[in-house]
Amino acid sequence: MTTEKPRRLTLGALLHGSGGHIAGWRHPLSPPDGQLDLAHHVRIAQTLERGTFDALFIADVVAIWGHDLDSLKRTARADHFEPLTLLAALSTVTERIGLVATATTTYNEPFHIARKFASLDHLSGGRAGWNVVTSVVPLEAGNFGRDTHLEHTSRYRRAEEFVHVVRALWDSFADGSVTRDQASGLYYDPAGLRPARHAGEHFTVRGPLNISRPPQGNPVLFQAGSSETGKDFAARHGEVVFTAQTSLEGAQAFYTDLKTRAAAHGRRGGEVLVWPVLTPYVASTEREARARLDELQDLVHDDVARRLVQDNIGDLDLTGYPLDGPVPEIGATNRSRSRQDLLLDLARRENLTIRQLALRFATVGSVVGTPATVADHIESWFRRRVADGFNISFPYLPGSAEDFVDQVVPELRRRGLFRAEYEESTLRGHLGLPRPAGRPFTPSELSEPSVSPVSPVSSRVDAEAGTR
Ligand SMILES: Cc1cc2nc3c(=O)[nH]c(=O)nc-3n(C[C@H](O)[C@H](O)[C@H](O)COP(=O)(O)O)c2cc1C
């Protein structure tokens, strides 16, 4: 019988070049060219590793996020590295921290994604993670030959099949089959090589993958679904699940719901970690910390505030609505439902104007105060089982990451909540996640024809279905 290991606090960091706050790039201590400065990213990654973070994570949208230049020209959103490329570079200057990149299942092919993440896992010695998203931004469609964004349910059906194929490809070589035996001249044992031979609703992939099994078996799967469909998907596949929450009650409900769904899929609590987003504004006094937040909020331009609400709330044109007036009602859209619900709910609950909603949205998940205040929040959410860890979003960089590592991390260690040094070398090891055993192995010929089409969502991989 397997017993669960004791729960341990885990921490990830969102790495945005110029910081998580929409006006972070304007902060006097943010380097203006930080978005594309490798040395700046290296400094942040090494700071986080000094703070023994489990992982750093890079969000991504495969488009310029928005079309309103009045607003866009005032943000750093249109200028950022492709995540896997950046993480490959960071893998060479870090040793332990996990490296998590976002990649969409809506506008990629499984073979490309399996190959790239397997490569990152090998390059980094088992530190890769994949944040599986279905694309939150409809504008991405125009970059991939589509007039409209794939509809929400269809995106998740595609994602389901996508993940299934990627996993099969990662298992192309059985563990131990790549022997690279110079004496005998045998690089790998062909008996350990399996094609994926997948034929499904969205993909036909023969395989096998042209790289041996990743050190972690599978890079760790991150997910952030929040709709009913999204949470089901996260509960089946996510090993770390991000969530943006505005209240303790909401976060508690999400945590319980997700763990219950995961259990229904036969997964134990420790195999699915829930990480709410937390944005810390830390200083030695509460007053000073509040001043840090206000300083950034004052840098949010009117055009940016209006668009922040409009782009996240759904298909609604806010042009002409007074910024200091109420948020209008809207119907259902094809946008991210959870984000829309979150915003509308906030506006109604707190009777917010458009500007106030924008500024609240810019600070969702913020905790403002001394290192002890921030540590109290982390400790209480962790102990009350509202969070297994946190996805920390630093408002501006590198300053707020350095403040957190120098002031909050020691406090967490002092309380016995967080590791003082790394004990493991892989991301799975840090997170206490099991290494997937891989598909049961059945030898087969590469030249065999593909299997016939399979059921739409849970399309099969032949080796998984048994022998041939
Ligand atoms: C912390 C966090 C990070 C996210 N990062 C991305 C991202 O990089 N790219 C993306 O398209 N969506 C991202 N999302 C959106 C989610 O993948 C998801 O689409 C969203 O939470 C809505 O849930 P739903 O898809 O179930 O409607 C993120 C969400 C959260 C909470």
Side-chain angles (χ1 to χ4, degrees):
M1 202 179 94
T2 31
T3 48
E4 290 247 356
K5 287 191 181 157
R7 269 178 95 230
R8 299 171 62 166
L9 179 73
T10 43
L11 291 180
L14 265 153
L15 177 55
H16 321 257
S18 56
H21 192 281
I22 189 88
W25 74 275
R26 297 182 68 194
H27 192 281
L29 296 178
S30 273
D33 56 354
Q35 286 289 103
L36 296 188
D37 179 4
L38 179 60
H40 173 67
H41 286 83
V42 169
R43 175 173 166 182
I44 300 162
Q46 291 178 340
T47 298
L48 295 170
E49 193 163 63
R50 179 162 59 79
T52 57
F53 268 65
D54 293 79
L56 63 84
F57 151 69
I58 305 188
D60 195 40
V61 166
V62 282
I64 285 191
W65 192 348
H67 34 60
D68 172 42
L69 289 178
D70 285 345
S71 156
L72 269 183
K73 72 183 181 196
R74 300 186 179 282
T75 75
R77 272 183 177 175
D79 195 28
H80 51 88
F81 286 123
E82 187 285 312
L84 279 156
T85 312
L86 174 60
L87 291 185
L90 294 182
S91 74
T92 65
V93 292
T94 53
E95 290 177 358
R96 296 294 189 94
I97 193 163
L99 306 168
V100 184
T102 298
T104 174
T105 54
T106 302
Y107 303 113
N108 271 303
E109 287 287 324
F111 195 94
H112 283 137
I113 291 303
R115 185 180 188 208
K116 289 177 187 179
F117 280 91
S119 296
L120 182 65
D121 209 40
H122 280 286
L123 276 174
S124 63
R127 295 188 282 138
W130 171 27
N131 178 34
V132 185
V133 301
T134 66
S135 282
V136 79
V137 178
L139 276 168
E140 295 181 8
N143 294 333
F144 300 94
R146 293 185 64 92
D147 293 334
T148 54
H149 196 26
L150 209 59
E151 187 272 326
H152 192 264
T153 313
S154 308
R155 294 207 297 275
Y156 275 104
R157 282 167 68 89
R158 182 180 161 106
E160 188 73 38
E161 188 179 340
F162 196 114
V163 167
H164 188 78
V165 178
V166 167
R167 282 207 177 108
L169 287 167
W170 281 334
D171 286 353
S172 291
F173 284 94
D175 281 328
S177 63
V178 184
T179 51
R180 304 179 185 102
D181 185 351
Q182 290 179 316
S184 71
L186 196 64
Y187 195 89
Y188 61 87
D189 176 359
L193 183 62
R194 300 160 282 194
R197 288 168 38 82
H198 172 89
E201 182 186 3
H202 303 90
F203 308 107
T204 301
V205 182
R206 187 187 60 155
L209 197 61
N210 49 359
I211 183 165
S212 56
R213 194 154 192 258
Q216 296 183 100
N218 292 184
V220 179
L221 294 194
F222 287 65
Q223 227 286 314
S226 286
S227 59
E228 291 303 305
T229 323
K231 278 189 285 192
D232 269 340
F233 182 83
R236 268 196 306 281
H237 303 296
E239 297 181 285
V240 178
V241 180
F242 297 144
T243 176
Q245 296 293 339
T246 53
S247 68
L248 177 75
E249 299 72 35
Q252 176 80 76
F254 182 89
Y255 186 96
T256 310
D257 183 15
L258 203 89
K259 297 274 175 166
T260 310
R261 287 176 200 249
H265 293 290
R267 305 181 70 199
R268 286 178 291 136
E271 291 174 5
V272 188
L273 307 178
V274 175
W275 282 8
V277 178
L278 188 161
T279 304
Y281 290 84
V282 188
S284 49
T285 64
E286 302 276 341
R287 206 161 146 217
E288 211 185 314
R290 173 65 50 190
R292 291 201 175 174
L293 169 62
D294 293 343
E295 185 183 18
L296 275 169
Q297 297 285 60
D298 287 346
L299 294 172
V300 179
H301 189 273
D302 282 5
D303 292 341
V304 175
R306 190 188 311 276
R307 274 283 155 180
L308 201 57
V309 173
Q310 179 161 327
D311 284 351
N312 285 287
I313 216 165
D315 305 311
L316 168 78
D317 186 1
L318 285 177
T319 317
Y321 284 92
L323 214 50
D324 295 309
V327 178
E329 294 293 325
I330 61 157
T333 75
N334 184 28
R335 295 292 176 98
S336 157
R337 301 204 178 126
S338 52
R339 195 165 290 207
Q340 189 180 84
D341 289 349
L342 185 134
L343 278 168
L344 288 175
D345 186 49
L346 247 182
R348 288 192 202 109
R349 212 166 7 130
E350 299 184 16
N351 202 17
L352 302 177
T353 64
I354 296 172
R355 185 196 305 278
Q356 287 167 333
L357 181 59
L359 293 180
R360 279 288 272 115
F361 186 68
T363 59
V364 164
S366 295
V367 179
V368 186
T370 63
T373 314
V374 177
D376 284 349
H377 176 91
I378 291 175
E379 179 164 12
S380 123
W381 279 38
F382 175 69
R383 293 207 192 280
R384 294 167 77 167
R385 291 185 182 264
V386 178
D388 297 309
F390 291 87
N391 191 13
I392 313 279
S393 175
F394 298 107
Y396 69 93
L397 288 163
S400 40
E402 290 171 352
D403 289 346
F404 189 91
V405 165
D406 291 334
Q407 299 174 39
V408 181
V409 168
E411 180 63 22
L412 295 173
R413 288 175 177 158
R414 201 183 56 72
R415 297 180 186 198
L417 281 170
F418 196 50
R419 66 170 75 81
E421 53 190 47
Y422 290 110
E423 290 156 17
E424 305 277 347
S425 59
T426 67
L427 177 54
R428 282 190 179 278
H430 303 330
L431 299 172
L433 295 169
R435 183 180 187 276
R439 287 183 284 148
F441 181 66
T442 317
S444 71
E445 292 298 322
L446 294 185
S447 56
E448 280 180 41
S450 287
V451 289
S452 48
V454 288
S455 66
V457 170
S458 58
S459 41
R460 278 166 268 129
V461 167
D462 60 349
E464 196 179 70
T467 51
R468 274 191 308 281

